[in-house]
Amino acid sequence: MSKVEILRTHGEALALFGSRVHAVRDDQWDAPTPCTDWSVRDLVNHLTAEQLWVPRLVRDGATVAEVGTDLDGDQLGVVPAAVWDRAAVAAVAAFAEPGALDRTVHLSYGPSPAAAYCTQMMTDAVVHAWDLSRAIGADERLPGHLATAALLEVEPYAAELGESGLFAAPVEPPADADDLTRLLCLLGRRP
């Protein structure tokens, strides 16, 4: 993808996830999600914390060690949707700064181009938008172009993700599966 496409899809993916965050009812924050160890609140907190990392890593040039435990634990407070909104806006702004996608960020697995980091963050937001949709009973259909972009991002290293223990084993998709179904099955979801 071009830098313009990377920024566009990242922003769209965060807006999509944000629309699901705003759809969470008060009685759903403790509901289970397809991520077996996470409640709805845990899932939203995970994505929120990820967005909070972006300005530190991309704009400030911090390393994972320098951020340390600053973003561990609950980030959502008493108004989760508002915290999500602020984190998403800050992440989009950090990636959109002139030259940001040309920088190197220092992730847990080592140095990475910021453009690749942005694409990974887009993918995570797309997949977790589906997880959150399923958990709260929202529309699980997601924009096809986002599913395709996320699938193209994940396919080259999907086997490594499965071996990491952070994802369930891949599921065989139906022969006529669309890109969203293929993406979800690749990451161990059962659409």
Side-chain angles (χ1 to χ4, degrees), residues 20-191:
R20 298 318 194 262
V21 171
H22 282 274
V24 177
R25 295 187 321 262
D26 288 343
D27 64 341
Q28 292 180 311
W29 288 102
D30 292 325
T33 70
C35 304
T36 56
D37 293 338
W38 286 345
S39 68
V40 166
R41 185 176 180 89
D42 296 331
L43 177 63
V44 173
N45 188 67
H46 164 70
L47 257 288
T48 300
E50 279 195 342
Q51 304 324 304
L52 293 171
W53 276 90
V54 173
R56 302 281 303 273
L57 298 178
V58 175
R59 184 193 62 222
D60 302 342
T63 65
V64 171
E66 290 169 339
V67 175
T69 59
D70 291 355
L71 299 172
D72 287 358
D74 181 68
Q75 301 296 314
L76 299 179
V78 296
V79 188
V83 176
W84 160 259
D85 290 343
R86 286 191 300 275
V89 166
V92 167
F95 278 126
E97 287 180 1
L101 293 183
D102 296 320
R103 297 177 189 149
T104 297
V105 292
H106 302 280
L107 304 175
S108 59
Y109 54 83
S112 174
Y117 176 46
C118 188
T119 305
Q120 291 165 10
M121 296 291 280
M122 173 276 299
T123 300
D124 209 34
V126 170
V127 172
H128 287 317
W130 181 85
D131 292 332
L132 187 54
S133 297
R134 173 147 295 182
I136 65 171
D139 188 355
E140 294 178 17
R141 293 172 298 169
L142 305 181
H145 69 285
L146 290 179
T148 299
L151 179 63
L152 290 172
E153 167 62 23
V154 165
E155 280 180 320
Y157 55 83
E160 296 168 25
L161 293 176
E163 294 168 5
S164 72
L166 299 173
F167 295 85
V171 175
E172 185 66 33
D176 62 347
D178 61 11
D179 285 349
L180 177 60
T181 301
R182 290 177 50 222
L183 171 69
L184 296 170
C185 288
L186 194 59
L187 297 176
R189 271 82 171 164
R190 298 182 181 277

